[in-house]
Amino acid sequence: MSAPAGEAPSSGYASIFVEEDLSTAEVDRLEAVHRPLADSVRELVDATIRTTVDDEEVAAVRAEVDALVARLRARQIEGAAGVRYNAEGRTWSWGNAVVGERNALAPPLDVVRDPDGLVHADTLLGAAYEGPPGMVHGGVGALLLDHVMGVTASARKRVTFTGTLTMRYVRSTPLGPVRLESRIDREEGRKVFVVATLADPDGVTVEAEGVFIVPRWAA
Ligand SMILES: CCCCCCCCCCCCCC(=O)SCCNC(=O)CCNC(=O)[C@H](O)C(C)(C)COP(=O)(O)OP(=O)(O)OC[C@H]1O[C@@H](n2cnc3c(N)ncnc32)[C@H](O)[C@@H]1OP(=O)(O)O
């Protein structure tokens, strides 16, 4: 699902979006506190995959990590983070799998909309995103493309859900820097057709086409 950012959700959104009594300044402050924690955990994930330290050191680190988890769990929300918004129209989705500010599993991705309608994002995919040896997992490519295409379809003005997503894996994507580009191809009623690519520095590796739908309840 992609939601219009920067505008107050209207009535149709009420069932899936949660209004929060938090000023934009406070949301920004919290993000500044939590984003570095997610960055550190991302480093931890990468180090966990690649470390060659002794068995005893692995056990000692595990004990420290378990203690840190217990400290964070001392106070936490029920369930997932959800998508929230405030009276100023600021929206945030801290757990989102691709762009969640607090989600260390998210690469992360900074999605940019150009005035001409092109949506793009650059990121670095390391050891945690591997599928074939040294290559990006095909599902990770699909995940990132789905998100960027969903943001494209929403065009800041409507909520859309992924209906159908088609991927053509042109060649393998090496781990390292990647770029995603996406644009609306055409619209038919509530259906928004989006085309996108994933590319490494040598060119396109995945081509994608998607049908994103404004659900009946949001139309
Ligand atoms: C910062 C915070 C803000 C942003 C945070 C969030 C950003 C997140 C970004 C996340 C990005 C990631 C995004 C995600 O992860 S979105 C999550 C993954 N997607 C879903 O879960 C969607 C599940 N499905 C549904 O909810 C409904 O089935 C939808 C909404 C899709 C349609 O239900 P609805 O009841 O509305 O449909 P309708 O029956 O009236 O049909 C309407 C028209 O559509 C055509 N059609 C129907 N289904 C499909 C289909 N599957 N493919 C192609 N076409 C389809 C149908 O033929 C008809 O066409 P026509 O006959 O009129 O020509």
Side-chain angles (χ1 to χ4, degrees):
M1 163 214 52
S2 24
E7 54 191 67
S10 57
S11 58
Y13 298 66
S15 57
I16 56 168
F17 293 75
V18 178
E19 182 164 10
E20 190 91 31
D21 184 20
L22 219 54
S23 70
T24 296
E26 182 61 2
V27 175
D28 291 344
R29 190 193 67 75
L30 285 167
E31 287 191 352
V33 170
H34 284 270
R35 194 183 305 119
L37 174 60
D39 288 342
S40 296
V41 175
R42 218 171 267 124
E43 280 293 306
L44 178 64
V45 169
D46 187 76
T48 301
I49 294 169
R50 297 165 60 198
T51 188
T52 57
V53 298
D54 295 341
D55 298 358
E56 297 73 22
E57 182 67 351
V58 171
V61 169
R62 180 187 170 200
E64 284 192 44
V65 170
D66 287 348
L68 295 176
V69 170
R71 282 173 67 184
L72 290 173
R73 290 218 187 281
R75 216 172 63 223
Q76 66 175 24
I77 58 168
E78 289 288 324
V83 180
R84 293 163 190 268
Y85 65 96
N86 66 14
E88 298 165 63
R90 169 74 148 90
T91 56
W92 61 98
S93 51
W94 287 336
N96 183 284
V98 181
V99 294
E101 298 276 353
R102 292 189 180 200
N103 189 348
L105 300 181
L109 214 61
D110 192 14
V111 184
V112 179
R113 294 169 197 264
D114 293 343
D116 68 355
L118 181 76
V119 175
H120 62 90
D122 293 281
T123 193
L124 191 68
L125 298 175
Y129 302 100
E130 185 173 52
M135 303 295 172
V136 176
H137 195 293
V140 170
L143 169 73
L144 302 189
L145 281 162
D146 183 27
H147 185 90
V148 171
M149 293 168 83
V151 169
T152 307
S154 81
R156 285 193 192 278
K157 62 181 182 187
R158 58 193 165 203
V159 62
T160 61
F161 279 74
T162 314
T164 299
L165 203 54
T166 307
M167 303 286 154
R168 182 180 173 86
Y169 293 89
V170 180
R171 62 181 170 83
S172 293
T173 309
L175 292 172
V178 296
R179 181 177 176 85
L180 297 111
E181 290 188 353
S182 169
R183 65 168 66 250
I184 293 176
D185 181 49
R186 66 189 193 282
E187 300 185 24
E188 290 171 14
R190 286 191 280 120
K191 291 184 292 189
V192 186
F193 294 81
V194 179
V195 290
T197 54
L198 175 71
D200 70 3
D202 292 331
V204 171
T205 58
V206 186
E207 296 167 344
E209 294 176 0
V211 187
F212 291 78
I213 297 162
V214 179
R216 208 179 309 222
W217 57 261

